[in-house]
Amino acid sequence: MQDERVGALKAHLGQVMDLRGAAAVLQWDQEVYMPPKGAEARGEQLATLQALAHRLFTSDETARLLDALEGDLDALPARTAKLAEVTRYDYDRALRLPEAFVKEFAIVQSRAYEAWTAARAASDFARFRPHLETMVALLRRRADYLGYEETPYDALLEDHERGMTTGMLRPVFAELATRQSALVERIMASPRQPDLSWSKTVWPEEAQWRFCLRVLGDMGYDLEAGRMDRSVHPFSTSFDVYDVRVTTRLSEREPFMAVMGAIHEGGHALYSQGHDPEDRRTPLLEGASLGIHESQSRMWENMIGRSLAFWRRYTPVLREHFPEIPRDVSPEQVYAAVNAVQPSLIRVEADECTYNLHIILRFEIELDLIEGRLAAADVPEAWNAKVKQYLGIDVPDDAHGCLQDIHWAHGSMGYFPTYALGNLYAAQMMPAIERDAPDLWARVEQGDFGGLLAWLRAHVHRVGRAKTPVEIVRDISGTDPGAEAYLRYLESKYLPLYGLA
Amino acid sequence: MQDERVGALKAHLGQVMDLRGAAAVLQWDQEVYMPPKGAEARGEQLATLQALAHRLFTSDETARLLDALEGDLDALPARTAKLAEVTRYDYDRALRLPEAFVKEFAIVQSRAYEAWTAARAASDFARFRPHLETMVALLRRRADYLGYEETPYDALLEDHERGMTTGMLRPVFAELATRQSALVERIMASPRQPDLSWSKTVWPEEAQWRFCLRVLGDMGYDLEAGRMDRSVHPFSTSFDVYDVRVTTRLSEREPFMAVMGAIHEGGHALYSQGHDPEDRRTPLLEGASLGIHESQSRMWENMIGRSLAFWRRYTPVLREHFPEIPRDVSPEQVYAAVNAVQPSLIRVEADECTYNLHIILRFEIELDLIEGRLAAADVPEAWNAKVKQYLGIDVPDDAHGCLQDIHWAHGSMGYFPTYALGNLYAAQMMPAIERDAPDLWARVEQGDFGGLLAWLRAHVHRVGRAKTPVEIVRDISGTDPGAEAYLRYLESKYLPLYGLA
């Protein structure tokens, strides 16, 4: 029996999802192909789509349709009950934010973004400071509207990682900070350092492009339901389970930027292509959280794409594509090169060993800002001190320090932690995968990722938003999100690489 | 004094235009970059955007905002009064169509399109016949809803060419049919025929691409506010006055397909880039009609791009781009080649002398269908007889006959005549341009189109929809749309080319 109430709810949500999908197409185009003068009109089109989607979703119609199902959730198919539950969760949160506040937030966001762009270009924090102050005040109000138990930062975390709390993160990040800093210190002191000389050549962009597409295809990314384009900042996006796109950037001097970027975005894209088609045009057709999304991109990029097994397969392919490199370059040389560790200033260029340290310092600063222990004016000083403490290096200017990331200008706090959580989640998933698929690494060495993908499809991709991130990690690993698995992974990989074990 | 009522109207219309602009981005992407499996979701997204735009535009809010201005139109600035008038015109027409009818039409359209695709591929008219029957019945109902005085076909014409009537078209098309048929007959009998042998080589696509962009840039197309991409069917589209895009198609064997296509779409794009920025996000920021739009594309493509002056400038540029062609090819040889006349079966490949004949036979068949003198089942026979009558050739199958165009499957009747009107309008504008800018052809010979573009900007582009097509033509040429100017243009160009004068 087709339940008419469910059909009506799905038709209503379908319109909201269509508007969001359309907005995503417009944003993709803006990053990839839009001519420069088109920006102003595009801003207006996006604002209209987002306002209409918000108005439609927060309309009484949504409540009416949900109320009609409320008494019967137990009688509904599990997936439908889940849809009602997730929709109710989103609806309640969306209703808590007054429309006037949403508008004010958008205006401050847009001004802060402009100020940040200019401030970063001039490496002049003073220009951004007043906007950061306003933004922090707005984010505290946002937290008050949304509600929280322990700290307003929890409300912001909840925006990006449902169920995650500051109380859960604190001890985990403390453990990571201590042990990753120590590991990096040992690595930097090691006499064995990777040989990068063989890679110092020109890597033609056209061959990089073909190499990236080759690897994406091997991973199982469906190019009939996706495509790759160039953009300044690589990203992935989806408009439907059958239209999931990635972008990459190419540099003739840095070949692994393109390929690692493509594998990373490919990991996101496989997640989006793997959702359950039954969930199309509903809020279930999304990643469970940013952290789970990042677990997919980082697993593919770092655990697979930076593994020795992977390069046993792809070093010959690399030689085929690039006659420019020495004919005798070995998988071990490539493996060492793509895993070179070096504390550096810029988060997006950081290696696996230092990456979480960049996140932790941001988390600490955000928490101090939101809880009122740190003034916006004091951010550069706090930033530079933490970079020294965790990474052992000096920040020469704010462009390479606290102005490097767009997130705060965009009003996103509580977002950075999800990157580190992605690393942790991936490391907690991997032992389960190795247990269920003991031939995993032998198959990776053949360029066969089918077993891995099937496992991820079943345990992560098809779940969509039907579980929270903590539920997903717990169901797979048997434990809550934690530091141990990731630290074990890092140490077992990097100590031997640097002759320390 | 800023009139709040005008501000409110513009804000309301702005949302409608944003939705339409967003839909246009989605359609552009669909034609140019969308992966094949994305089609289904894209259809749903477009349907939602179009339904919301229609709902918003036909809402009581539109009437309320227009009513508030109604008594004061004389006191408003002329442009604002025009905006109110054009919006009222669109609103009244949109309201006349019941929502149930609009939905029924969309469903029939989508089924007819699928049937037509299959029918054309199999060259099997029988598969399309029932859909054509239903479509004709629907179009007659559409005409009844919209209203007309002389014939239901007038209501359909009005959809595409405001103010144009069957009564105005009949004598004009009769004159064109007689004289163009006679002209083609003389040309085909002439002993002087163009030498195409020099062009029978491979024209690399990459060089064609650069040549097209070079010409578009010279024409004045702003590539900071536009871009060119490849697509199966070339088109131009705009999302804003500062985001106007063209597409082209390339074939290594047919170099002039790409360049003439690019110039044609460039003519459309210059029109869209030339609208008044004050009209952004309002219904005035559009072409006055399909016919006026086509006058721009055809003027640039045929009167400029197929002129001897143009090829005096661009033959050396052609030689630069294509080392493959003989070094001594002359402007006169290129001019003769791009103006080769040859009656053929396919409208979109027709030359200037035969093009209108393709239109006229479609007009006659549409009129007979809508006025009930012709049954859908008898279309192939009628079609083939008219092709023989006007073009002197036999139609081998329906794929090359009455199934070649998408328009009927799409429910567009009264649309074809606008292509011919574009030719006529352009020919009526040209004498005024030559009078106002006597150095026109000397400047074209230098690759300088600034004078022409400035004239079109002032007399056509910036007008937008503030005048009807007939008003535009009358204000420029002093006469109503007619056949004489075009026939004079054709005869003065083609008789000498074929040694007949």
Side-chain angles (χ1 to χ4, degrees):
Chain A
M1 186 195 75
Q2 170 72 23
D3 190 324
E4 273 180 33
R5 297 167 307 172
V6 175
L9 176 66
K10 284 194 167 183
H12 178 66
L13 294 174
Q15 290 199 318
V16 177
M17 303 312 287
D18 285 340
L19 285 168
R20 292 188 191 157
V25 176
L26 267 62
Q27 282 163 327
W28 171 86
D29 177 71
Q30 184 166 29
E31 298 289 329
V32 177
Y33 291 119
M34 190 186 74
K37 292 183 186 170
E40 189 187 326
R42 183 55 50 87
E44 278 157 352
Q45 289 155 356
L46 280 168
T48 292
L49 291 183
Q50 280 148 357
L52 289 178
H54 181 79
R55 201 183 302 163
L56 205 58
F57 185 64
T58 56
S59 66
D60 295 342
E61 178 74 356
T62 309
R64 200 183 59 69
L65 292 163
L66 287 173
D67 290 347
L69 293 173
E70 204 70 11
D72 283 347
L73 289 189
D74 294 344
L76 292 173
R79 198 78 182 177
T80 307
K82 196 45 97 169
L83 172 62
E85 187 266 313
V86 166
T87 304
R88 174 68 76 179
Y89 169 85
D90 288 347
Y91 180 71
D92 286 347
R93 278 180 75 80
L95 270 199
R96 284 181 214 160
L97 298 173
E99 204 167 310
F101 176 79
V102 172
K103 275 194 192 151
E104 190 185 345
F105 198 92
I107 292 164
V108 169
Q109 226 174 14
S110 142
R111 287 189 195 139
Y113 174 75
E114 273 183 54
W116 169 76
T117 307
R120 188 170 79 151
S123 194
D124 177 8
F125 179 76
R127 288 201 209 174
F128 182 54
R129 188 189 47 72
H131 299 276
L132 182 58
E133 264 162 21
T134 312
M135 190 53 92
V136 169
L138 272 187
L139 286 168
R140 292 206 52 174
R141 275 175 59 203
R142 184 180 172 90
D144 289 340
Y145 286 127
L146 291 172
Y148 55 87
E149 289 186 13
E150 302 277 331
T151 155
Y153 195 74
D154 283 350
L156 306 182
L157 271 176
E158 180 80 7
D159 273 339
H160 308 296
E161 198 71 14
R162 184 175 175 185
M164 186 52 59
T165 64
T166 312
M168 292 169 81
L169 283 184
R170 272 183 192 283
V172 173
F173 280 5
E175 175 81 2
L176 289 175
T178 309
R179 284 177 54 189
Q180 284 193 228
S181 284
L183 176 64
V184 172
E185 217 168 307
R186 287 183 66 192
I187 286 173
M188 295 317 294
S190 164
R192 191 202 289 181
Q193 294 293 329
D195 165 27
L196 303 173
S197 60
W198 63 272
S199 70
K200 304 291 179 209
T201 180
V202 168
W203 299 68
E205 292 189 350
E206 207 268 324
Q208 289 191 46
W209 188 262
R210 281 185 290 110
F211 187 75
C212 288
L213 281 175
R214 160 69 185 275
V215 173
L216 284 172
D218 289 353
M219 285 165 65
Y221 175 57
D222 181 356
L223 278 154
E224 295 280 296
R227 51 177 291 115
M228 182 168 79
D229 297 274
R230 292 181 76 150
S231 68
V232 178
H233 305 286
F235 66 98
S236 70
T237 183
S238 68
F239 319 135
D240 175 50
V241 68
Y242 295 123
D243 194 348
V244 179
R245 307 187 187 183
V246 299
T247 71
T248 192
R249 53 178 176 168
L250 305 173
S251 158
E252 286 191 335
R253 295 284 171 187
E254 295 175 81
F256 296 111
M257 186 178 79
V259 67
M260 289 303 154
I263 297 174
H264 180 99
E265 301 309 332
H268 283 301
L270 286 175
Y271 188 11
S272 299
Q273 285 188 338
H275 292 324
D276 189 339
E278 289 296 312
D279 292 337
R280 291 170 84 185
R281 298 178 81 227
T282 80
L284 292 182
L285 193 86
E286 268 177 37
S289 72
L290 291 181
I292 297 290
H293 238 300
E294 210 65 16
S295 76
Q296 300 306 292
S297 55
R298 285 170 191 274
M299 178 185 291
W300 282 99
E301 178 192 351
N302 293 326
M303 299 186 159
I304 304 298
R306 294 187 206 271
S307 69
L308 183 55
F310 182 90
W311 288 108
R312 286 214 173 102
R313 169 61 182 157
Y314 286 98
T315 299
V317 183
L318 202 69
R319 283 195 299 254
E320 265 169 44
H321 281 71
F322 301 97
E324 294 80 3
I325 61 174
R327 295 298 83 194
D328 60 351
V329 65
S330 69
E332 287 74 14
Q333 277 176 295
V334 182
Y335 175 59
V338 298
N339 288 297
V341 176
Q342 178 69 57
S344 65
L345 294 163
I346 303 296
R347 175 184 61 87
V348 297
E349 295 166 5
D351 55 76
E352 279 190 281
C353 289
T354 56
Y355 189 87
N356 284 346
L357 302 172
H358 289 268
I359 297 306
I360 290 165
L361 74 91
R362 285 160 176 77
F363 163 72
E364 291 173 350
I365 289 173
E366 288 185 351
L367 197 56
D368 286 349
L369 284 168
I370 294 296
E371 294 185 347
R373 280 185 306 275
L374 180 69
D378 298 328
V379 163
E381 197 186 334
W383 183 285
N384 299 351
K386 284 177 193 291
V387 170
K388 187 74 181 176
Q389 175 193 344
Y390 290 133
L391 294 158
I393 52 179
D394 294 308
V395 177
D397 56 52
D398 292 335
H400 293 83
C402 65
L403 287 175
Q404 68 184 267
D405 288 311
I406 193 181
H407 300 61
W408 295 344
H410 195 258
S412 293
M413 292 198 179
Y415 188 121
F416 283 123
T418 67
Y419 295 127
L421 287 170
N423 287 327
L424 308 191
Y425 296 167
Q428 288 179 269
M429 290 175 190
M430 192 47 90
I433 301 171
E434 288 169 335
R435 187 193 59 223
D436 293 348
D439 59 349
L440 172 73
W441 295 107
R443 289 178 70 176
V444 167
E445 215 170 305
Q446 305 300 319
D448 170 4
F449 307 100
L452 172 61
L453 184 58
W455 193 97
L456 293 172
R457 289 267 189 266
H459 294 84
V460 183
H461 299 182
R462 290 181 73 90
V463 172
R465 282 182 73 201
K467 292 182 186 177
T468 66
V470 175
E471 285 167 351
I472 291 174
V473 172
R474 209 184 275 148
D475 287 354
I476 290 173
S477 70
T479 58
D480 278 345
E484 200 47 41
Y486 187 62
L487 289 167
R488 213 179 310 125
Y489 157 74
L490 274 190
E491 287 161 2
S492 70
K493 174 174 180 179
Y494 285 90
L495 291 178
L497 243 173
Y498 280 85
L500 300 166
Chain B
M1 187 196 73
Q2 169 73 21
D3 191 321
E4 273 179 33
R5 297 168 306 174
V6 176
L9 176 66
K10 284 193 167 183
H12 178 68
L13 293 174
Q15 290 200 318
V16 178
M17 303 311 289
D18 285 340
L19 285 168
R20 291 187 193 158
V25 176
L26 267 61
Q27 281 164 328
W28 171 87
D29 177 72
Q30 185 166 30
E31 298 289 329
V32 177
Y33 291 118
M34 190 185 74
K37 293 184 185 169
E40 187 188 329
R42 184 54 50 87
E44 278 157 353
Q45 289 155 356
L46 280 168
T48 292
L49 291 183
Q50 280 148 357
L52 289 178
H54 181 78
R55 202 184 301 164
L56 204 59
F57 184 65
T58 56
S59 67
D60 295 343
E61 179 74 356
T62 310
R64 202 183 58 70
L65 291 163
L66 287 173
D67 289 347
L69 291 173
E70 203 70 9
D72 282 348
L73 289 188
D74 294 344
L76 292 172
R79 198 79 182 176
T80 308
K82 197 45 97 170
L83 172 62
E85 188 266 313
V86 167
T87 305
R88 173 69 74 181
Y89 168 85
D90 288 346
Y91 180 73
D92 286 346
R93 279 180 75 81
L95 271 198
R96 281 181 217 160
L97 299 172
E99 204 166 311
F101 176 79
V102 172
K103 276 193 192 151
E104 189 184 346
F105 198 91
I107 292 164
V108 170
Q109 226 173 12
S110 143
R111 286 188 196 141
Y113 174 75
E114 272 183 54
W116 168 76
T117 308
R120 189 170 76 151
S123 195
D124 177 8
F125 179 77
R127 287 201 210 175
F128 182 53
R129 188 191 47 73
H131 299 275
L132 182 59
E133 264 163 21
T134 312
M135 190 54 92
V136 169
L138 273 188
L139 285 167
R140 293 205 54 172
R141 274 174 61 202
R142 183 179 171 90
D144 289 338
Y145 286 128
L146 291 171
Y148 55 86
E149 289 186 11
E150 303 277 330
T151 156
Y153 195 74
D154 282 351
L156 306 182
L157 271 176
E158 180 80 9
D159 273 339
H160 308 296
E161 197 72 13
R162 184 176 174 184
M164 186 53 59
T165 64
T166 311
M168 291 168 81
L169 283 184
R170 272 183 190 284
V172 173
F173 280 5
E175 175 80 3
L176 288 175
T178 309
R179 284 177 54 189
Q180 284 193 229
S181 285
L183 176 64
V184 171
E185 215 167 309
R186 287 184 67 193
I187 286 172
M188 295 318 294
S190 164
R192 192 202 290 181
Q193 295 292 330
D195 165 26
L196 303 174
S197 60
W198 63 271
S199 69
K200 304 289 179 211
T201 179
V202 168
W203 300 67
E205 293 189 349
E206 208 268 325
Q208 290 190 46
W209 188 261
R210 282 185 290 109
F211 188 75
C212 288
L213 281 175
R214 160 69 184 274
V215 173
L216 285 172
D218 288 354
M219 286 165 66
Y221 175 58
D222 182 356
L223 278 155
E224 296 279 297
R227 53 178 290 116
M228 182 167 80
D229 297 275
R230 293 181 75 151
S231 68
V232 178
H233 305 287
F235 65 98
S236 71
T237 182
S238 69
F239 319 135
D240 175 50
V241 68
Y242 295 123
D243 194 346
V244 179
R245 308 188 185 181
V246 299
T247 72
T248 191
R249 54 178 176 169
L250 305 174
S251 157
E252 286 192 334
R253 295 282 171 188
E254 295 176 80
F256 297 110
M257 186 178 77
V259 67
M260 289 303 153
I263 298 174
H264 180 99
E265 301 309 333
H268 283 301
L270 286 175
Y271 189 12
S272 300
Q273 286 188 338
H275 292 325
D276 190 340
E278 291 295 313
D279 292 336
R280 292 170 84 185
R281 299 179 80 227
T282 80
L284 292 181
L285 193 87
E286 268 177 36
S289 72
L290 291 182
I292 297 290
H293 238 300
E294 209 65 15
S295 76
Q296 300 305 292
S297 54
R298 284 169 191 276
M299 179 185 290
W300 282 99
E301 178 191 351
N302 292 327
M303 298 186 159
I304 304 298
R306 294 188 206 270
S307 69
L308 184 54
F310 182 91
W311 288 107
R312 287 215 172 101
R313 170 61 182 157
Y314 287 97
T315 299
V317 182
L318 201 69
R319 283 195 299 253
E320 266 170 42
H321 281 70
F322 301 96
E324 294 80 4
I325 62 174
R327 297 298 82 195
D328 61 351
V329 64
S330 70
E332 287 73 15
Q333 277 176 292
V334 182
Y335 175 61
V338 298
N339 288 296
V341 176
Q342 179 69 58
S344 64
L345 294 163
I346 304 296
R347 177 184 60 85
V348 298
E349 294 165 6
D351 56 76
E352 280 190 281
C353 289
T354 56
Y355 189 87
N356 285 347
L357 301 172
H358 289 267
I359 297 306
I360 290 164
L361 75 89
R362 285 160 176 77
F363 163 74
E364 292 173 350
I365 288 173
E366 288 185 351
L367 197 57
D368 286 348
L369 284 168
I370 294 295
E371 293 185 347
R373 279 185 305 276
L374 180 70
D378 298 329
V379 162
E381 196 185 335
W383 183 285
N384 299 352
K386 284 177 192 290
V387 170
K388 186 76 181 175
Q389 174 192 347
Y390 290 133
L391 294 159
I393 51 181
D394 294 308
V395 178
D397 55 54
D398 293 333
H400 293 83
C402 65
L403 288 175
Q404 68 183 268
D405 289 310
I406 191 180
H407 299 61
W408 296 343
H410 194 259
S412 294
M413 292 199 179
Y415 187 121
F416 283 123
T418 68
Y419 295 127
L421 288 170
N423 286 328
L424 307 191
Y425 296 167
Q428 287 179 270
M429 291 176 190
M430 193 46 90
I433 301 171
E434 289 170 334
R435 186 192 62 225
D436 293 348
D439 59 350
L440 173 73
W441 295 108
R443 290 178 70 177
V444 168
E445 215 170 306
Q446 305 299 317
D448 170 5
F449 307 101
L452 171 61
L453 183 57
W455 192 97
L456 293 172
R457 289 267 189 264
H459 294 84
V460 182
H461 299 182
R462 290 181 73 90
V463 172
R465 283 182 73 200
K467 292 182 187 175
T468 66
V470 175
E471 285 168 351
I472 290 174
V473 171
R474 209 184 274 147
D475 287 353
I476 289 172
S477 70
T479 58
D480 278 345
E484 199 48 40
Y486 187 64
L487 289 167
R488 214 179 311 127
Y489 156 75
L490 275 190
E491 287 161 1
S492 70
K493 176 173 178 179
Y494 285 90
L495 291 178
L497 243 172
Y498 280 83
L500 300 167

